[in-house]
Amino acid sequence: MSRTPLISGNWKMNLNHFEAIQTVQKLHYLIPKGAMDDVEVSIHPPFTDIRSVQTLIESEELDFALGAQHCHFEDSGAFTGEVSPAFLAKLNTKYVICGHSERREVFGESDEMVNAKVLAILKHGMTPIMCCGETLAEREADETESKVVGQIVAGLAGVSNEQIASLVIAYEPIWAIGTGKTATSEDAQTVCAAIRSKVAEIAGDDAANTVRIQYGGSVKGGNSPELMSQPDIDGALVGGASLDPDEFARIIQFNG
Ligand code: PEP
């Protein structure tokens, strides 16, 4: 089963809309023609940049998919400061990250909220990138798989097998995010394989063979080829390194 790798750049709360345009233009300039034939790349700027990046991608016909970092699960209403998935869909957003550990830990998002977001993103024709991952304490207590599998089961409640097949799951060990520490490719592969077998249990083999599983946590140009060569790793969710077009271009060209 061949799954097109997806490399996603999560800019977090960095780069204003002027900087965003320059960064996307530079990234496009750095990637040789043909180098993205077998890989998909999504860019997830802050909300205030999205319209500018959309306009650039569409007017210049750049080969990048537009992504968002987060959304609310309701379409509209009294949710001051929140962003509707319906509005993101109107901007031709293709991928929406949900359940990022920073949202879970800093903003108190529960598994139930992540599940509601997965359903809302799908309802609007976009693809969730649903994140999961363990803390260092959980890893040291040998609870990595139970934590991650629990997040997967809760996040996919009420999602059809066909929808599960279409989505992206990002395995991001929390201790590896923004720390410069990366899971070994063997450890990352073990957890991603456990995620895939859980998906098979929940939604069947077809969905498990089709769902894409990213690894995230201090991915760089230097470690991406080995991570990406693992059979159950189908891409990378990249934070810090995606802000640097040279480094992000190297990650995208993990195949050489
Ligand atoms: C992330 O933001 O999801 C992430 C993995 O960050 P970093 O690549 O900086 O570790």
Side-chain angles (χ1 to χ4, degrees):
M1 159 61 62
S2 82
R3 297 176 288 266
T4 304
L6 173 66
I7 309 287
S8 304
N10 172 18
W11 289 359
K12 312 191 189 201
M13 199 172 72
N14 295 292
L15 306 181
N16 64 39
H17 69 289
F18 294 116
E19 294 163 334
I21 289 170
Q22 286 169 354
T23 303
V24 174
Q25 281 171 330
K26 183 158 183 210
L27 182 65
H28 170 70
Y29 169 79
L30 286 168
I31 300 174
K33 216 172 164 37
M36 285 191 0
D37 286 353
D38 301 318
V39 60
E40 204 186 345
V41 175
S42 64
I43 296 180
H44 302 249
F47 286 130
T48 51
D49 302 3
I50 286 187
R51 178 69 174 142
S52 306
V53 174
Q54 180 213 7
T55 304
L56 174 66
I57 288 175
E58 292 180 2
S59 63
E60 307 275 315
E61 297 182 11
L62 306 185
D63 205 6
F64 300 128
L66 186 61
Q69 300 175 15
H70 152 73
C71 67
H72 199 270
F73 44 82
E74 295 288 355
D75 288 358
S76 62
F79 302 106
T80 302
E82 282 293 331
V83 170
S84 159
F87 302 169
L88 292 175
K90 270 266 179 253
L91 293 165
N92 293 340
T93 302
K94 184 166 181 193
Y95 294 100
V96 184
I97 298 170
C98 57
H100 191 281
S101 60
E102 288 154 17
R103 299 293 319 175
R104 292 178 188 263
E105 297 211 321
V106 184
F107 300 99
E109 286 190 12
S110 63
D111 281 343
E112 291 67 33
M113 287 164 81
V114 175
N115 175 239
K117 289 176 189 211
V118 167
L119 291 165
I121 294 162
L122 287 165
K123 181 179 110 179
H124 289 285
M126 300 178 289
T127 300
I129 298 180
M130 187 182 83
C131 302
C132 57
E134 82 286 4
T135 63
L136 187 57
E138 288 161 341
R139 183 177 191 83
E140 285 170 354
D142 217 8
E143 290 168 358
T144 298
E145 279 190 32
S146 58
K147 167 80 179 289
V148 166
V149 160
Q151 288 177 322
I152 299 294
V153 172
L156 298 184
V159 183
S160 73
N161 294 356
E162 207 185 359
Q163 287 173 323
I164 291 176
S166 75
L167 56 78
V168 180
I169 295 173
Y171 166 55
E172 298 209 301
I174 295 169
W175 49 270
I177 297 178
T179 58
K181 293 182 190 146
T182 320
T184 63
S185 51
E186 292 77 15
D187 282 354
Q189 161 59 24
T190 302
V191 181
C192 291
I195 293 171
R196 199 176 300 284
S197 50
K198 195 60 187 180
V199 171
E201 236 177 74
I202 300 171
D205 288 342
D206 286 352
N209 286 331
T210 310
V211 70
R212 287 182 290 177
I213 304 176
Q214 296 177 315
Y215 168 79
S218 298
V219 175
K220 304 267 185 307
N223 57 23
S224 60
E226 202 185 326
L227 286 161
M228 294 295 298
S229 70
Q230 301 302 313
D232 287 297
I233 299 181
D234 310 312
L237 181 52
V238 185
S242 71
L243 298 170
D244 174 354
D246 290 287
E247 191 66 25
F248 198 43
R250 272 193 285 278
I251 295 171
I252 290 167
Q253 295 173 87
F254 63 90
N255 263 334

